[in-house]
Amino acid sequence: MVQEFKEFAMKGNVVDLAVGVIIGAAFGKIVESLVADVFMPVVGAIVGGLDFSNYFVGLSSNVTATSLVEAKKQGAVLAYGNFLTIGINFLIIAFILFLVIKAVNRLKKKEEAKPAEVAETPADVKLLGEIRDLLAGSQARI
């Protein structure tokens, strides 16, 4: 059973999947930083200097704070600003993946469109062909 599991775990597809998950996690961190540090401040400046991460609605009358961190200490809050940020994050990831897949498909089409290059016949194959032709010629004389 251990040997069977080892064979399964070391198959190319499983290893490729593991590499994809690790790269995906790292890519996710890059996109999170892009959204939080670059994109959201610009969007916030456009809509009047507001920070989406502090958008919330208090779900109890005890919540009187103006920042999300303090409001969470006071009671239950609906933090829809974080949801907006994550939604925008998803849209950016989906768009980037769309562009990557589109580029890969374009490269595949170019490779399929290339005519197959005619490889030069190796010298030993040429020599064997000549021998075959000579033998066929001598057989015809007999």
Side-chain angles (χ1 to χ4, degrees):
M1 186 169 179
V2 172
Q3 180 65 24
E4 204 174 337
F5 176 74
K6 188 177 178 182
E7 288 174 13
F8 169 77
M10 297 311 292
K11 282 186 180 176
N13 293 342
V14 175
V15 174
D16 291 344
L17 178 62
V19 169
V21 168
I22 292 168
I23 289 175
F27 183 71
K29 298 268 187 201
I30 291 170
V31 173
E32 279 181 34
S33 175
L34 176 69
V35 170
D37 301 331
V38 176
F39 188 70
M40 292 310 287
V42 171
V43 172
I46 291 171
V47 296
L50 302 172
D51 181 12
F52 282 148
S53 63
N54 272 325
Y55 282 12
F56 67 92
V57 173
L59 298 178
S60 73
S61 58
N62 296 338
V63 178
T64 58
T66 57
S67 74
L68 180 61
V69 174
E70 293 299 317
K72 284 184 176 182
K73 291 177 184 176
Q74 293 176 348
V77 294
L78 180 66
Y80 66 91
N82 286 335
F83 179 76
L84 287 175
T85 302
I86 291 171
I88 292 171
N89 193 352
F90 170 78
L91 291 175
I92 291 171
I93 290 172
F95 182 69
I96 290 172
L97 287 175
F98 168 74
L99 292 177
V100 167
I101 290 170
K102 187 175 179 179
V104 167
N105 288 340
R106 187 177 301 135
L107 288 175
K108 283 183 182 179
K109 284 182 183 178
K110 284 183 182 179
E111 287 178 10
E112 290 172 1
K114 285 183 183 178
E117 293 182 21
V118 179
E120 188 174 327
T121 307
D124 58 344
V125 174
K126 283 183 182 179
L127 183 60
L128 288 171
E130 290 173 11
I131 293 171
R132 180 200 63 222
D133 294 341
L134 288 173
L135 288 172
S138 67
Q139 295 261 337
R141 290 185 200 150
I142 297 179

